[in-house]
Amino acid sequence: FTPELVQAINETLEKKEQIILFQNRRGYSNYIICNECTHIPKCTRCDVSLTYHKISGKMECHYCGRKENVPGACPSCSSTSMHMKGFGTEKIEDELALVFEGARVGRLDTDAARSARGYEKILGAFANGQLDILIGTQILSKGLDFENVSLVGVLDADSMLNFPDFRAFERSFQLISQVSGRAGRRSKQGKVIIQTMDPDHPVIRYICNNDYDGLYADQMEERQVFGYPPFRRMIRISFRHKIPSILDGACDLAARDLKEIFSSRVYGPQYPAVRKVQNYFVKQIILKVEREASYERARELLKGVLDRISANEVYRSIRISVDVDPY
């Protein structure tokens, strides 16, 4: 919590008003790291670090759900100097109890509200004034109206802005604007504090100025230059296999055939941000087709290439999926 946010929370609590804190990451710590060799425990089935959840006392994979015990020593170098890094909604809940003694704190994420009844119970307690501070993920950004909420804190805007996706800026603007709208819903003036390491980031400025038109113009210009929707249709072809060499061979063959047909409209193959999920390695090819082009013809040509891959005896076991407009 920045000093500005701490002061604002204290002032809000003194006025007997309520606070919403937004962090779009559940769990306690994002990952555990060894101070000696920098080893980070990862899921054995997915290419992601394990998130520590204090409520279960386990490290969990947010892709496949696998759970593991917290290691007493580093699996790589046996050092006992291991530390937790990053923060999620569970850690915020713990820290609030230490910083703001006596504050009644609730948490709303998919761990705390696993059913519709649990979700309604937490929201009901907040609406009835039984909670002073509500922490949550994007589950609380839409459709909620609390008349006594006068402060909203966005704790880590940078994690959304730096997500590797062409819609990251649009989604960040949308999410932060929506959660900001929870403050000052009635006659009272609300206050929003956005914590970021880059306050001069254009999206942060657009949010602070409530400048949707500016964001729209900026994003449309960028998407036109790089051929992203809505100027082109995007087709994502995903290939999955347990053996990387077989996957590479199939993807290279598919990319070569597609480039002969679609030329520079083909991008990849490349690994996504998470290259292995549930023991399957994943590679993707992106196809961008002009809006005025015949979509039926493009689909027919793409089907021909993928059918030839599937008919190949070596690549028959590869799982292929096609997602049109994957956003």
Side-chain angles (χ1 to χ4, degrees), residues 27-29 51-58 60 90-91 94:
Y28 190 86
S29 290
T51 301
Y52 174 64
H53 286 250
K54 188 175 181 180
I55 195 168
S56 65
K58 303 275 188 180
E60 299 183 14
E90 282 187 356
K91 188 170 186 179
D94 264 15

Side-chain angles (χ1 to χ4, degrees), residues 85-289:
K85 297 288 186 180
F87 62 93
T89 49
E90 282 187 356
K91 188 170 186 179
I92 297 164
E93 185 179 25
D94 264 15
E95 295 289 330
L96 283 169
L98 297 174
V99 179
F100 305 99
E101 274 191 63
R104 299 166 299 172
V105 180
R107 175 167 53 88
L108 186 65
D109 55 28
T110 51
D111 293 324
R114 292 190 175 275
S115 65
R117 188 174 178 181
Y119 174 82
E120 290 168 2
K121 183 180 178 181
I122 296 167
L123 288 182
F126 192 62
N128 295 330
Q130 296 169 350
L131 298 173
D132 300 310
I133 305 174
L134 183 62
I135 313 142
T137 55
Q138 62 183 348
I139 197 172
L140 58 69
S141 65
K142 301 178 185 178
L144 302 179
D145 184 8
F146 304 109
E147 64 176 314
N148 200 36
V149 173
S150 61
L151 175 65
V152 166
V154 179
L155 298 185
D156 185 16
D158 301 322
S159 63
M160 293 181 284
L161 292 170
N162 296 319
F163 194 77
D165 181 82
F166 79 96
R167 288 189 68 191
F169 289 179
E170 173 193 351
R171 285 183 170 138
S172 297
F173 181 96
Q174 184 182 54
L175 263 179
I176 296 174
S177 295
Q178 285 173 339
V179 76
S180 298
R182 303 312 107 200
R185 296 287 289 178
R186 305 292 168 85
S187 57
K188 296 177 183 177
Q189 177 74 38
K191 186 174 186 178
V192 180
I193 294 178
I194 301 171
Q195 296 188 165
T196 173
M197 299 294 287
D198 187 10
D200 293 324
H201 193 289
V203 176
I204 298 295
R205 293 203 307 269
Y206 289 137
I207 292 168
C208 291
N209 296 325
N210 197 26
D211 186 6
Y212 171 80
D213 291 336
L215 176 88
Y216 173 82
D218 183 44
Q219 288 299 289
M220 289 296 275
E221 181 180 355
E222 183 175 300
R223 291 183 192 187
Q224 186 170 25
V225 169
F226 293 103
Y228 281 110
F231 298 98
R232 290 194 184 186
R233 296 200 72 173
M234 183 185 288
I235 301 171
R236 181 174 63 205
I237 308 122
S238 298
F239 300 79
R240 291 176 172 81
H241 201 274
K242 292 184 177 181
I243 303 174
S245 58
I246 294 178
L247 180 67
D248 290 342
C251 289
D252 290 344
L253 179 60
R256 187 196 67 191
D257 290 352
L258 287 170
K259 286 174 181 177
E260 286 180 1
I261 300 169
F262 296 101
S263 186
S264 60
R265 301 175 185 85
V266 179
Y267 298 83
Q270 61 187 12
Y271 285 106
V274 179
R275 57 179 286 168
K276 187 174 77 168
V277 177
Q278 295 184 350
N279 287 327
Y280 280 87
F281 290 90
V282 184
K283 252 187 170 180
Q284 297 175 344
I285 295 174
I286 300 294
L287 177 61
K288 295 178 182 178
V289 181

